[in-house]
Amino acid sequence: MSSRKIRVLIAKPGLDGHDRGAKVVARALRDAGMEVVYTGLRQTPEMIAESALQEDVDIVGISILSGAHMALVPRILDLLKENQQENVKVFVGGIIPDEDIAKLKNLGVAGVYGPGTLTTQIVLDLRNILQE
Amino acid sequence: MQSKDNNSIDKTEASRISEKIINGDRLILARIITQIENETPLGFSVLEEIYSETGKAQLIGITGAPGTGKSTLVNQLAAYYREPEDGISKSVAIVAVDPTSPFSGGAILGDRVRMRSLSGDPGVFIRSMASRGSLGGIAATTSAIVLALDAAGYERIIIETVGAGQAEVDIANLAHTTIVVESPGMGDDIQAIKAGILEIADIIVINKADKPGADITERALLSSLQINLKNQNDPNRYQHMNNGLIDDHSKIEYGEIRIPSVIKTVATTGEGIASLHKIIEEHYTYLVNSCELSQKEKKRISFELDVLLRDKLLSNWKRKTKKELYDEIFQKTLTRDISPWKAVDQLVDGEKR
């Protein structure tokens, strides 16, 4: 009998080409026993939502260093809801100014992780979020 | 009885769900794939309901060492199936298997990175799977997931495997057409003679054919196949390739025995993809017209039943056997009083010596 694995989608929307952070997080989640679908660069919100649906993920992690987060993240959240995936937890990483962190959380983002975040923190948070 | 009630609830829910899957509900399909992958009672119930709707899809297995460009090739092939130069567009599902880390139990499933161009096409469904400890190229539940995609109506299902040692054998058991992907400069002269590939591959693709050495690789493969070709007209060779499943009353025509096709591609540019598509379709037609398709199916079911029987008999036996008896005989084996073979005789047949 297979054990229940946590499935995570890690995506980079928009034109931002810096993927080292996303890859570090992906590897950390793998090392924590999760199955991480890594989509790579230049994803549109539509592509991210479609991947989340087909892969039936529990969590979507979005990495944005371009500053476009207030345009992209709400769109992704809307699409997830449209696809009846409002239960999927979303976390955001990258360069997010402090004043936007609260806004994102109000929209339903479960966690915002800027530079210097310990991957162990992310793993812990994700596990806790899914317990709820 | 409680379990009976659960079964009847499951059956109604399972019928509801399978109807949705057959009618094209992609969200439900994705969720049931998760249930099937986790081997839940609901997953099994749904499989039971949809099983009669399966057997329609054409299954294409793609295996090969890491770095040969399998994912890019799958992407191009799927895209071509969607828009072939001549011929009708087919709906395509892709199951991409990546290895689970033996240390953490987690996995990076990165095949979607190469499949951006398929995004947004409702006629394509891509699902990534981790091998979860399975030693062959596919996961234990891959064939069950393929059944769900089949029932959902995808006409071509491409299974992309981990390029591990036994991958060719595993995928050949599942797929109608087995494709092995090579690439130049990867120790090809040794690969070319590797018996597993030549006997199992229906099509050998030399990808990255724009790299130097592609011609040498092609020549090496073709000459290895020539060696096998010597026995081409020998009916016993045909029998060997089917592992003796031909019975006396079979009506197999020995006229034209198919040997693997070798084709060069450059997946990144799409070169050779149209030819590959044509060869795959021709291969399936060949399987249908010869008896090979039904032989393959018999072999696959036989294999599948063996695996399931082994599992079920073992778990039934373990449930019925007293732990003390097992421990006693285990201990005797540990101290080398009896051999493992004797131990099993005693456990199973109750022999005492």
Side-chain angles (χ1 to χ4, degrees), chain B residues 141-204:
Chain B
T141 53
T142 300
S143 63
I145 285 172
V146 167
L147 286 175
L149 293 163
D150 188 345
Y154 291 95
E155 295 163 291
R156 300 289 181 271
I157 303 177
I158 301 174
I159 305 115
E160 185 195 337
T161 73
V162 177
Q166 267 218 172
E168 295 99 13
V169 177
D170 273 6
I171 202 62
N173 270 334
L174 172 59
H176 297 126
T177 303
T178 300
I179 300 175
V180 175
V181 185
E182 301 274 1
S183 114
M186 294 183 76
D188 314 295
D189 35 353
I190 299 165
Q191 289 281 29
I193 332 173
K194 181 178 166 192
I197 294 182
L198 297 185
E199 302 196 352
I200 279 164
D202 298 305
I203 302 171
I204 302 173

Side-chain angles (χ1 to χ4, degrees), chain A residues 5-106:
Chain A
K5 302 277 183 184
I6 298 173
R7 281 173 71 90
V8 184
L9 183 76
I10 300 272
K12 285 197 66 69
L15 298 172
D16 168 18
H18 297 94
D19 58 359
R20 179 172 298 149
K23 285 179 174 169
V24 165
V25 171
R27 280 194 291 265
L29 298 185
R30 175 203 58 199
D31 292 342
M34 304 185 193
E35 292 178 349
V36 182
V37 178
Y38 181 78
T39 64
L41 303 172
R42 291 192 301 282
Q43 301 288 299
T44 63
E46 288 74 17
M47 287 161 81
I48 293 172
E50 185 188 14
S51 296
L53 185 147
Q54 292 177 6
E55 302 286 359
D56 192 25
V57 295
D58 303 299
I59 300 169
V60 172
I62 306 168
S63 163
I64 306 179
L65 282 83
S66 61
H69 48 277
M70 290 316 296
L72 292 166
V73 176
R75 179 86 187 113
I76 293 168
L77 291 169
D78 282 343
L79 285 168
L80 286 171
K81 200 180 293 178
E82 252 176 62
N83 287 338
Q84 295 168 266
Q85 285 201 293
E86 54 277 336
N87 289 330
V88 170
K89 312 292 181 196
V90 176
F91 72 97
V92 178
I95 304 291
I96 315 287
D98 288 339
E99 58 266 27
D100 290 341
I101 294 179
K103 288 186 204 163
L104 287 172
K105 287 198 168 159
N106 279 337

